[in-house]
Amino acid sequence: MVLLNGSNIKKMFLDETLFDGVSFNIDEGDKIGFVGVNGAGKSTLFKIINGTMDYDGGELFRNKFTRIGYLDQYTCVESDNTIMGEMLTAFEEVISVENELERVRREIESGSGDLDELVRRQTDLQERFEKLEGYQYRSRIRSALTGLGFKEEEFDRRVDSLSGGQKTRVSLGKILLSDANLLLLDEPTNHLDIESVEWLESFLQSCRASFIVISHDRYFLDKVTNRTFELENGRLRTYTGGYSEYVKQREVERKTEERNYANTMREIERLEGIVEQQRRWNREKNIKTAESKQKVIDKLEKTLVKPSAEQEEIDFAFRSLPGGGNDVLITEELGMSFGEKQIFSGCSAHIVKGEKVFLLGSNGCGKTTFIKDVLGIYEPTEGVVKIGANIEIGYYDQIQENLDMDKTIFDELHDTYPSMTQTEIRNALAVFLFRGEDVFKEIRKLSGGERARVELAKLMLKPVNFLIMDEPTNHLDIDSREALENALAGYDGTMLMVSHDRYFINKLADRILYMTNTGFKEYLGGYDDFVEKRANSAAETSEKQPDKPKNLDYLEQKRLAAEKRKVLNRYRKVEELISGLESEIAELNNEMAEPENATDFVKASELAEAAEKKNAELDALFEEWEELQTTIEENGYED
């Protein structure tokens, strides 16, 4: 079934055409990655599809069964709900059916009304509730929030007290759990650490909804997409497969276009020579030949497809400072606390000359704080930092505090490197695609990607032998990320990097330090090596089952099957018990709210005590549910 179809969509801003002739279709089962340089119009097309922006030409058809869920990359939900309360708004129909079921149940128990009609109504509601997966909606919310990096104790925090990134994660969770069958996700991996991105990958791989996702995360796109849209130079092209397949197909397509264009131009030039010659001879037969060849030329020119103009590319290199000791960085039992809150402790590391080391860990584990301890921006509360002899550090700050927002781009570089001439500064900025009057733009008015390029330009001009970079690919489009990868691959100094870009890590890492609150775990190689070694380590440390005689295999299989049934049956039962308890608690709360009970101290106390007991039972069930879910996931149990 076609969910959405666009035909020759055109969008203009004032007199500038952003894109024209954009045509596409989206079918059930499509999982589409949407790529293109920053500013190509990807987010604009999303808004057109979502109906929040008009367009200047073409047609957009939406199937009447299509329900769109849209995540704007700048979404910042404002609500006075708790996190859990806000997530529950995605299940208004389920909750409405649940409340109606409870009302019908009470009427049946009280004997009021037509019993046959009430039972029929209860059966219909029950079927609807099961179809809406009503027994699982609360567990789905908890799973999504946990997957997106929220802790259980944070579920009762008010949304309006959260950071912008946390609010975006709440919005993402609501959209993922909604009943939408077409998701438009604009940079959904922003504000997520690697563990949360991997949870999102797993969710999208298994979800029934179709989706289009704008992302610069190439690893993520390879994991979750089966088609790719590319918006470039105002044209939309479609490809089969994920990002890596798209890159191969695009390269073949461009070479074919260039070859066909060159061959056609040669043929046109050959025919034009014949026409010119035949007209020069100017006999009747020659004139007819010239007219015939001109018709061929006209036909070829009409069908001639000029290759897309190549996007301007960034191409730069970091200046490596020779010398420096072999021991570049040593930390011994480094620890950091802010007041009574300890961020990390026991972080010992030894980085030697020429190594490319990546620092990984979950959000909030202290990676940026560790770097600032190394740089001397913070004073560690425990341990020692030793920087090697003759080591010159270049630092890239993910929040761009190194930039003066009140300056122009040109002044930022000129004030940092006053000995450089205007021409030298302009040449350096041109490498990062700042040309002409663009160099006099104020930094505060730049996009995140433009500011990142300014900071990279500053760093490129500084001779260093130890690069420390904190999330350098944030805000960069794919082309800029690849330019940075190439520059770093050719850099022969030492590097310490914080990044959640797994494609980037795979290309560059010699070694990974995985940070926990009690120290580092070391893994040689890139990200894929890291994942494999962690999995192997987990398998080795798990309890090993002793070898059993072959004649016991059948009995062992029966035991394992019985154990699986037991776990799954208990899991389903616990979910039913949770649902029942939640209904009972809701009923007790309603009773406490009734005027006659609110003014009766004895009755109110009895109801409050009963509710407290039920809540304690509910907490215990949730703990059991989480343990069972972990068991199911670890053992790969499926219904």
Side-chain angles (χ1 to χ4, degrees):
M1 182 176 74
V2 176
L3 297 176
L4 196 74
N5 175 270
S7 178
N8 294 314
I9 304 296
K10 180 179 182 180
K11 180 61 184 176
M12 299 181 69
F13 287 104
L14 299 177
D15 295 330
E16 295 288 326
T17 299
L18 182 61
F19 49 75
D20 192 5
V22 166
S23 299
F24 57 89
N25 67 281
I26 303 163
D27 300 325
E28 279 187 313
D30 277 346
K31 299 177 185 292
I32 301 167
F34 196 5
V35 301
V37 298
N38 289 340
K42 302 185 297 296
S43 297
T44 299
L45 186 58
F46 262 18
K47 290 172 183 175
I48 289 171
I49 292 171
N50 190 47
T52 53
M53 183 178 287
D54 60 6
Y55 49 100
D56 302 296
E59 294 181 344
L60 190 66
F61 165 76
R62 182 193 294 184
N63 191 306
K64 65 180 180 179
F65 299 109
T66 302
R67 302 177 304 280
I68 292 177
Y70 172 48
L71 177 76
D72 187 314
Q73 65 171 308
Y74 302 111
T75 294
C76 197
V77 63
E78 298 298 337
S79 171
D80 57 6
N81 286 332
T82 64
I83 294 175
M84 176 60 79
E86 188 62 26
M87 292 292 287
L88 285 169
T89 63
F91 293 92
E92 290 177 349
E93 183 182 1
V94 179
I95 293 170
S96 174
V97 172
E98 186 178 48
N99 290 338
E100 180 66 8
L101 263 173
E102 180 59 23
R103 186 189 67 77
V104 170
R105 184 187 67 80
R106 288 201 300 266
E107 286 190 22
I108 290 173
E109 288 180 353
S110 66
S112 60
D114 185 331
L115 183 60
D116 290 340
E117 178 59 31
L118 286 172
V119 170
R120 278 194 297 272
R121 175 67 175 153
Q122 185 183 50
T123 301
D124 291 342
L125 287 168
Q126 193 72 41
E127 289 177 357
R128 181 63 182 156
F129 191 65
E130 290 176 0
K131 187 176 181 181
L132 293 170
E133 298 180 340
Y135 290 115
Q136 290 85 36
Y137 78 94
R138 288 184 182 273
S139 59
R140 289 176 63 203
I141 291 174
R142 289 176 181 273
S143 176
L145 287 175
T146 303
L148 291 170
F150 290 103
K151 297 177 181 175
E152 187 89 19
E153 57 267 25
E154 294 179 307
F155 292 178
D156 291 329
R157 282 186 63 184
R158 285 168 56 105
V159 172
D160 55 17
S161 72
L162 303 177
S163 68
Q166 289 172 319
K167 289 177 181 177
T168 301
R169 282 189 274 146
V170 172
S171 296
L172 174 59
K174 280 178 61 179
I175 290 165
L176 295 177
L177 297 182
S178 73
D179 68 344
N181 59 359
L182 175 58
L183 305 177
L184 306 178
L185 305 176
D186 196 347
E187 295 289 359
T189 60
N190 286 358
H191 313 293
L192 300 183
D193 58 20
I194 288 179
E195 287 82 0
S196 295
V197 172
E198 289 175 339
W199 175 87
L200 179 60
E201 286 171 351
S202 177
F203 184 95
L204 292 176
Q205 285 166 349
S206 61
C207 80
R208 292 190 290 267
S210 300
F211 61 80
I212 314 176
V213 56
I214 297 172
S215 180
H216 299 313
D217 187 332
R218 295 154 292 175
Y219 199 101
F220 173 74
L221 291 172
D222 271 340
K223 283 278 190 178
V224 303
T225 61
N226 57 26
R227 291 180 70 197
T228 300
F229 286 178
E230 177 198 61
L231 189 56
E232 182 181 54
N233 295 320
R235 295 170 58 190
L236 184 80
R237 297 167 183 257
T238 64
Y239 301 85
T240 57
Y243 177 79
S244 295
E245 284 301 311
Y246 142 75
V247 170
K248 295 174 187 175
Q249 292 173 49
R250 180 187 61 177
E251 187 62 26
V252 171
E253 185 180 86
R254 286 185 176 172
K255 286 180 178 178
T256 302
E257 275 186 357
E258 290 168 1
R259 185 171 59 251
N260 291 343
Y261 180 77
N263 291 340
T264 305
M265 287 301 296
R266 277 195 296 271
E267 180 63 9
I268 289 172
E269 289 171 7
R270 186 184 72 82
L271 292 171
E272 284 175 339
I274 294 173
V275 169
E276 190 275 332
Q277 182 190 62
Q278 295 295 315
R279 283 177 176 166
R280 191 162 14 95
W281 290 346
N282 200 28
R283 295 176 183 172
E284 184 179 351
K285 182 179 179 182
N286 301 128
I287 290 170
K288 286 182 178 179
T289 300
E291 289 174 349
S292 173
K293 296 299 182 186
Q294 186 59 52
K295 287 180 181 178
V296 176
I297 291 171
D298 294 341
K299 185 176 180 180
L300 286 173
E301 287 180 337
K302 281 182 181 179
T303 59
L304 185 65
V305 178
K306 189 175 182 179
S308 298
E310 290 285 345
Q311 295 284 347
E312 288 187 288
E313 293 183 355
I314 299 172
D315 185 13
F316 69 102
F318 291 106
R319 299 172 63 186
S320 178
L321 185 70
N326 189 60
D327 294 327
V328 176
L329 172 67
I330 296 174
T331 65
E332 298 174 353
E333 297 296 322
L334 205 66
M336 190 69 187
S337 301
F338 291 107
E340 295 183 357
K341 184 178 180 181
Q342 186 170 63
I343 308 300
F344 60 83
S345 64
C347 286
S348 298
H350 185 182
I351 298 175
V352 299
K353 189 173 183 177
E355 273 196 302
K356 293 178 172 65
V357 178
F358 277 74
L359 184 56
L360 273 59
S362 58
N363 281 352
C365 72
K367 300 184 294 293
T368 297
T369 301
F370 175 83
I371 281 178
K372 290 187 174 180
D373 284 344
V374 169
L375 293 167
I377 297 172
Y378 292 158
E379 182 70 30
T381 50
E382 303 170 16
V384 177
V385 174
K386 297 176 183 177
I387 303 294
N390 301 315
I391 296 299
E392 186 67 31
I393 295 174
Y395 172 49
Y396 180 97
D397 179 11
Q398 67 163 314
I399 58 175
Q400 298 161 344
E401 287 183 340
N402 294 332
L403 301 178
D404 188 333
M405 297 296 150
D406 295 324
K407 290 181 180 179
T408 65
I409 300 172
F410 184 90
D411 288 339
E412 179 71 20
L413 261 71
H414 182 268
D415 292 348
T416 306
Y417 303 103
S419 62
M420 290 180 66
T421 66
Q422 288 196 18
T423 301
E424 288 172 333
I425 290 174
R426 279 184 170 276
N427 288 341
L429 288 172
V431 169
F432 290 89
L433 311 184
F434 296 112
R435 297 189 176 94
E437 293 301 306
D438 286 347
V439 302
F440 299 116
K441 286 182 179 178
E442 291 182 6
I443 289 175
R444 70 171 62 257
K445 295 179 181 178
L446 301 179
S447 68
E450 289 171 325
R451 290 178 189 173
R453 284 190 272 136
V454 174
E455 189 157 1
L456 287 172
K458 286 177 63 179
L459 198 53
M460 175 190 74
L461 295 171
K462 182 180 180 181
V464 299
N465 48 22
F466 187 22
L467 274 175
I468 298 180
M469 306 182 85
D470 191 358
E471 297 289 3
T473 61
N474 280 6
H475 310 295
L476 296 180
D477 59 30
I478 290 176
D479 288 348
S480 299
R481 292 183 185 208
E482 290 177 347
L484 176 59
E485 285 168 359
N486 292 335
L488 291 172
Y491 176 68
D492 59 5
T494 308
M495 297 181 347
L496 175 61
M497 300 274 171
V498 174
S499 180
H500 65 270
D501 185 333
R502 294 160 295 171
Y503 204 98
F504 183 70
I505 299 167
N506 265 340
K507 275 207 166 185
L508 296 170
D510 296 325
R511 182 160 59 103
I512 287 171
L513 295 177
Y514 187 81
M515 188 173 190
T516 69
N517 58 2
T518 57
F520 293 134
K521 293 180 181 177
E522 182 180 315
Y523 300 86
L524 294 178
Y527 184 77
D528 288 341
D529 298 312
F530 159 74
V531 171
E532 182 182 352
K533 287 168 184 173
R534 286 190 84 192
N536 291 341
S537 177
E540 288 172 7
T541 54
S542 63
E543 186 176 353
K544 293 182 179 179
Q545 296 292 331
D547 292 335
K548 296 185 178 182
K550 290 184 178 180
N551 59 355
L552 293 180
D553 281 354
Y554 173 70
L555 294 175
E556 176 65 7
Q557 288 172 13
K558 286 190 68 175
R559 185 190 69 78
L560 291 173
E563 188 175 292
K564 173 183 173 180
R565 284 196 304 272
K566 181 180 178 182
V567 170
L568 290 173
N569 288 338
R570 181 58 185 170
Y571 182 75
R572 286 189 287 268
K573 181 63 176 177
V574 167
E575 285 193 331
E576 291 174 9
L577 291 171
I578 286 172
S579 180
L581 270 176
E582 286 175 335
S583 297
E584 291 176 24
I585 291 168
E587 186 176 349
L588 286 169
N589 289 335
N590 289 335
E591 284 189 58
M592 284 190 280
E594 291 175 1
E596 61 271 22
N597 292 331
T599 56
D600 185 337
F601 177 76
V602 175
K603 182 65 173 175
S605 297
E606 289 174 354
L607 290 170
E609 184 178 351
E612 187 176 350
K613 288 181 180 178
K614 296 290 184 186
N615 276 308
E617 292 176 30
L618 186 62
D619 289 341
L621 283 172
F622 271 127
E623 286 183 14
E624 184 180 358
W625 177 87
E626 288 175 356
E627 290 173 1
L628 288 167
Q629 188 180 51
T630 300
T631 301
I632 290 168
E633 290 173 354
E634 287 178 350
N635 290 281
Y637 291 162
E638 294 180 1
D639 283 304

